[in-house]
Amino acid sequence: MTETEPTTGRRVRDSLERRALALGALGTTVLLVLMFYYPVATVFVESVVVEGAVTLAIFLDLLRDPFYFGDLARVFAGESPVMVAQDFFSSDRKLGIVGFTTYQAILSMLLSLALGLPMAYLLARYEFRGRRTIRSLTILPFVLPSIMVAVGFVATFGQTGTLNGVLGLLGLGPVSLMFSLEAILIAHAFYNAPLVARVTTAAWESVDASAIETARSLGASPFRAFRDVVAPQLYPAVLMGGALTFVFTFGTFPIVLALGGIQLATVEVFVYQLIQDLNYAEAAALAIVELVISLGVLYAYLRYEAKHTVRSRGARPLPRKSLRPPTFSARELTPRVGLAIYGVIALFVFVAPILSLLYRSVAAPTGGFTTAHYQFLIDRQTTGTAYQVRPWPAIRNSLFFAAAALAVSLPMGVVISVLTTRRYRGRKLIDVVAMAPLAVSGIIVGIGLLRGPVFGFELGSYRLTITGALAIIAAHAVACYPFVVRTVAPGFEAIDRSLLESARALGASRTRALIDIELPLVWPGVVAGAAFALAISMGEFSSTVILATGTNEYTMPVAIERFIGRRLGPATAMGVVLLVVTSISFVIIDRLGGESFGL
Amino acid sequence: MRALGSERTRTPAELEAVDDEFVDAPVALSLEGVSKQYAETTAVDDVNLRVREGEFFTLVGPSGCGKTTTLRLIAGFEAPTMGTVRFGGNDVTGVSPEDRDIGVVFQNYALFPHMTVGENVAYGLNFADPPGGISSDQRVADLLELVDLEGMESRDPDQLSGGQQQRVAIARALAPGPDILLLDEPMSALDAQLRERLRVQVKHIQRELGITTVYVTHDQEEALAISDRVAVMRDGAPEQVAPPQTIYRQPATRFVADFIGDNNVFDADVERVDRGDGTSRARVHVGDQPFDLEIEGGTSLEPGDTLTFCVRPEHFSREATTNTFTGTVESAEFLGETTRVTLEWQGRSIRLRTTDPLSGDVTVGFEPDGAHVVDSSRE
C-alpha cells in the first residue's frame, strides 16, 4: 500500500543487512578453521606422517609401550587378554600413564559426585538465607584460574600449609598431602563438584511437584516417590556432571603440574614434557590418544542423553524445606545433621584453599604478617632483568589478551548460537563442530598453533606467519567462545519463534530482527558469556604456557607457575593479584547485565 | 489417493462460490497447486485457493489439518515444496516475509517484551512510511484508538491483559498498512467471553479498513461468525470453500457435515427417486426405517445406490408428521436457552434440541427439506 521506491543507499544497506548473518557465519567458520581446526589438524598430521610417509607406527609404539599403557600395552602387543587380566588383578599391576590418568579421573569423578550431590540436594530442596548467593557461587570455581587454585592448594596442604598449621595448634599432624593423589583429587573436586551440583540442582528444580503428589496419592512412600519419579529425572544431569568431570580431569594439567610432581604425572603433563623435549610427534600422538578417550566418553554421554533426557518445563517446582527442623523427629533431623556435616567438609574443600592463598600471601614464615611477598613482586618489577618474569607485563598481557579474546569470541559465540538454535538440517553437526574445542585440551591447541600458524602457512609462494601474541589470542578465543555459546544459546532457544516472525512480517530483515529483537532479549546471556570469556582467558594456562615460553607474552597464570618453582610466597602474592584482577573484570562485566541463564 | 480426491476435483465451482459482495472484487491472494512436505508428512497437499480483495477468509479444521502451515506459506515463513503463491497476480513464492507487505497476528500475541506498547506498534514503521503521509506517532495513536487502547503507548506489554495484548498485536500488524492481514488462531488463548467481544471488534476493524484477511482457527463457531468465506480443511487440503451459511446448510462432504456444528449423519440405501424440476424426492432406508428426503437440483441417484444425509438437531421436532421414529432419551444437557438431548435409536445416538425436559421414549421426526444429502456414494 505504501510503495515508495527505496533509495540506493537504503538498498545497499538492505543488501548488506541481508548478508550480515551469512557473512558472520563465514567469518566464524574461517576463524574456527584458522584458529582451531587447522592447528589441531597439524598436530594430527605430525603424529601420522614420518619423513613424508603416512604411518601408524608412532601410535602403535605408543599403544605397546607399558610406560603409557601399563599392562594393557601387552594386549596391544599381542599377548592374551586373559593372561593380562589375571596379572591385572594381582597386586603388582602396572597402569601406565594413560591408565593412571584414567584411574585418577574416575576417582575425581566419584569424589566430585560425592561432594556435588549433597550440595544439589541442599540447593534444590532447602530454603535458607544466602541460598541464591551460594547457587551463583557454584559457577565460580569454573572460572577460577586453575594455576591459582593449585597455589591455593599448596598453601593449604603443603608441608607448612594452613592445614598443618591448624593441626599443629590442635597438637596433631603434620600430614603430608602434597604430591599425593589425595591432593589432586580434592583439587579436582574443588572444580567439578560445583559443576555436578549446578546441573543436578537445575534438573531437580524442574521436577514437577504434581508428579510426586500423583505418585504419593497412588500409594508410593516418600522414598518410592523419590526413586520412581524424582531420581529418573536426575540421572541424566548426574551423568552429565560425571561425564564432564571425567573429561575435564582426564585432561587435567596445571593442577597436576603444581600438585602432583613427576611420579603422579598425567597424560597432559607428559604431552607438555614431550614438547619441552621437542619430541613433537610422540607428543601429538599421545595428545590424540587423550582426545580420542575424552571424545569417546563425551559421545557415550551424548548418546545416553539423547535417549533419556526428560524435561518438564514450566512445572510447578517442589516447595523448599526450611533448614530449621519443624519438629525434632528423627525423620526431620537426620538429613539436616547430614547436611551440617557436609557443610563442614564443603567449607574445608571449597573455602580453605582461597583463604589459605590470601593468608599465605601475607604470612611470614616465622609467624605474624609480612608484605615481603608483595614487595618481592614490586622489586622484581623495578629491578628484574629482561628475561625474568615481571608482574606488570604479566598483568598487562593478561588484560590485553582477555580483551582481544573477548572481541573475537563474543561475536563468534553469538553467531554460532544463532546458527545452532534455528531449526534446519545439519544443525546438530554444526553444534558438534562448533563445540569440539571444549573437548580438545589447550595443550593440543597450543602445539597446533605453535607448529602451524606460528611456524607459517604456505600460501602459494608466500609464507604467512602469525606472531606469538596473535596465536595466544587465537588460543584464548577458541577456549572462550564455547562458554559464550553455552550462555547465549539458551536465551536464543527460549525466544518464541513468533517474535522473530512478527518482526519479519513487519518488514525487518533477518539481521535487523536479530539486532532489534533477539539480541536485546538475550543480552543478559551475552554479558554473562563475556564475563566467562574474560575469566577463562585470564586463567588460561595450558596453551599459553606453550605459546609464551621464551617470549615476553607471558600472562599472570604463567607468571605464577614461574614463581611457584622458587618459593610459595611470591606465587601466592601473584595468585592474589590474579584473583583480584579477574574478580574486578568479572564484576564490571557482570554489572552491565542482569541475571543470566545457561550454564 | 483418498476417496475424497474425486470430491475435490469435482468442486472448482464451489471454490468459486463467492459471497455476492466479492464476486467482482479482484483476486488479492491465490494459492496454485501449493504443497508443503516435511520429512515424512505432507502438511499441505495441492491447495488451490483464491481470496478476493477486502474479503475475510477463514481456514478452519481440526489440529493437524494444515491450516496453520497454509497461513505460514502465505506469510513466507515456510517455502512451499511445490506450487505458486500470488499476491494480486504477482508471484511471491520466493519472496521473504519482510518484503510481502503482510501483517501477522499470532495466538500468543508475540509482543516484543523489551519494547513499550507504542514501540511495538511503531516497529513496522521503521521499514515503511505510515500510509497517508502522517507521522509515525500519529499513526501509532490512530491505531491504538482503533483497537480501543488510546493513550497506552508508554505501557509495557506485561502490564496489559491478554485481550489488550492481542489488540496491541493487531494494531502493530496494521501499522505499516499491509496489503493482507494474517491471523493465526488469535483468540485461542483468551477466555470465552473475551473471545466473543474481540471477535466482533476484529470483524469491525476489518470491515472499516476493508483489508483482505486470512484467519486461521480450529473453532468452527468462530469461523462461521466472523467470515465472508470459509475453507474447511482436512488432511492438508480444503474440503469445501463457501460462505458460512452454505457451509452450515449444505456441507459438501460428510467430514464438513460432522465438523461444522452439531449434526446427525446417516448412511442410507435408496429405494425410490422421484425427479422433479428444481427438487427431487428420494425414499431411503436407514436400517428398516424409511425416510423421505428432498434433494435440491438434479440428481443422478438410482434405486439401489447408497447415500449419506444429515439432519441438524434443530430440524428434529416432536410435532413433525413425516420421518418420525421413536427413541429413548440417553442424556439431556441443560444449556439454558435449550436442552441438548441425545436419543438412542437403533444403536446410534441422535442429537436434538428441545425447550422442555424429556425422558423415557420420545417420538420425533423431521420435514423432508430438513435433511441435506452430502455424499452420494458411487461404489
Side-chain angles (χ1 to χ4, degrees), chain A residues 1-4 10 18 425 496-510 512-513 516-517 520-521, chain B residues 72 77 96-99 101-102 104 106 108 110-115 123-124 127 129 131 172 176-179:
Chain A
M1 279 186 183
T2 54
E3 287 301 317
T4 45
R10 181 163 169 181
R18 257 156 229 263
R425 206 179 280 248
D496 195 317
R497 185 173 60 159
S498 58
L499 287 183
L500 198 63
E501 289 173 347
S502 293
R504 296 296 297 276
L506 289 166
S509 65
R510 180 67 190 83
R512 257 318 273 270
D516 290 347
I517 310 301
L521 293 176
Chain B
R72 295 175 61 79
F77 298 139
S96 300
E98 64 263 33
D99 298 329
D101 284 331
I102 47 167
V104 181
F106 290 100
N108 60 356
L111 295 182
F112 305 136
H114 58 301
M115 298 183 188
Y123 186 74
F127 314 104
D129 298 323
R172 181 179 67 179
D179 294 340

Side-chain angles (χ1 to χ4, degrees), chain B residues 132-154:
Chain B
I134 55 173
S135 72
S136 289
D137 289 349
Q138 188 57 48
R139 178 71 178 162
V140 171
D142 288 353
L143 278 158
L144 285 178
E145 198 188 324
L146 183 71
V147 297
D148 285 344
L149 291 170
E150 49 272 76
M152 297 266 202
E153 279 92 339
S154 55

Side-chain angles (χ1 to χ4, degrees), chain B residues 141-287:
Chain B
D142 288 353
L143 278 158
L144 285 178
E145 198 188 324
L146 183 71
V147 297
D148 285 344
L149 291 170
E150 49 272 76
M152 297 266 202
E153 279 92 339
S154 55
R155 299 279 189 97
D156 284 331
D158 59 9
Q159 291 175 295
L160 304 183
S161 71
Q164 288 174 322
Q165 290 190 42
Q166 194 56 292
R167 282 182 281 153
V168 174
I170 293 168
R172 181 179 67 179
L174 291 171
D179 294 340
I180 299 176
L181 181 62
L182 305 170
L183 302 112
D184 186 7
E185 308 229 14
M187 317 220 183
S188 306
L190 305 174
D191 67 58
Q193 249 189 346
L194 203 54
R195 203 151 58 207
E196 265 176 54
R197 278 223 308 275
L198 189 57
R199 191 159 85 193
V200 173
Q201 204 172 6
V202 165
K203 180 70 186 174
H204 176 74
I205 291 168
Q206 190 267 341
R207 265 290 122 89
E208 191 153 306
L209 300 178
I211 185 170
T212 311
T213 301
V214 179
Y215 188 96
V216 162
T217 180
H218 65 270
D219 180 344
Q220 45 90 19
E221 194 185 310
E222 193 170 284
L224 296 182
I226 205 166
S227 319
D228 294 318
R229 245 179 349 137
V230 176
V232 182
M233 291 193 60
R234 178 197 189 189
D235 293 340
E239 291 251 324
Q240 186 176 11
V241 184
Q245 293 79 0
T246 314
I247 294 273
Y248 188 80
R249 292 187 191 133
Q250 291 138 30
T253 67
R254 183 197 190 99
F255 173 77
V256 176
D258 257 337
F259 185 76
I260 300 288
D262 245 356
N263 218 342
N264 298 288
V265 182
F266 301 90
D267 295 313
D269 301 313
V270 179
E271 181 194 314
R272 196 175 71 229
V273 180
D274 301 326
R275 289 192 173 76
D277 355 307
T279 57
S280 310
R281 254 171 189 270
R283 159 62 62 100
V284 301
H285 285 266
V286 176

Side-chain angles (χ1 to χ4, degrees), chain B residues 28-43:
Chain B
L29 157 73
S30 58
L31 303 185
E32 296 165 10
V34 169
S35 295
K36 177 66 182 177
Q37 257 155 340
Y38 295 108
E40 273 143 43
T41 52
T42 302

Side-chain angles (χ1 to χ4, degrees), chain A residues 355-544:
Chain A
L355 287 182
S356 300
L357 176 77
L358 294 169
Y359 169 71
R360 284 300 298 272
S361 76
V362 293
T366 51
F369 293 99
T370 175
T371 56
H373 305 315
Y374 292 95
Q375 192 61 46
F376 171 86
L377 294 185
I378 294 167
D379 292 347
R380 176 57 72 84
Q381 177 60 36
T382 48
T383 61
T385 53
Y387 55 84
Q388 277 180 320
V389 168
R390 286 180 293 168
W392 171 241
I395 297 172
R396 198 189 52 211
N397 285 339
S398 279
L399 286 172
F400 170 70
F401 291 143
L406 195 62
V408 177
S409 60
L410 210 55
M412 266 177 88
V414 169
V415 167
I416 291 171
S417 300
V418 173
L419 294 181
T420 53
T421 50
R422 296 287 153 232
R423 285 185 304 170
Y424 53 89
R425 206 179 280 248
R427 180 183 83 142
K428 276 276 160 231
L429 184 71
I430 291 194
D431 208 4
V432 169
V433 168
M435 283 298 124
L438 212 51
V440 178
S441 79
I443 293 268
I444 300 184
V445 177
I447 322 173
L449 282 166
L450 193 67
R451 303 291 289 161
V454 175
F455 187 58
F457 291 103
E458 293 280 358
L459 212 82
S461 55
Y462 293 99
R463 173 165 284 269
L464 290 176
T465 58
I466 65 169
T467 63
L470 271 181
I472 291 174
I473 293 167
H476 284 201
V478 163
C480 291
Y481 84 82
F483 292 91
V484 178
V485 175
R486 281 285 166 253
T487 52
V488 174
F492 276 105
E493 201 95 58
I495 292 178
D496 195 317
R497 185 173 60 159
S498 58
L499 287 183
L500 198 63
E501 289 173 347
S502 293
R504 296 296 297 276
L506 289 166
S509 65
R510 180 67 190 83
T511 311
R512 257 318 273 270
L514 175 70
I515 292 165
D516 290 347
I517 310 301
E518 289 177 294
L519 277 182
L521 293 176
V522 302
W523 195 245
V526 175
V527 171
F532 262 107
L534 200 81
I536 300 268
S537 167
M538 293 236 196
E540 213 291 332
F541 179 73
S542 308
S543 58
T544 318

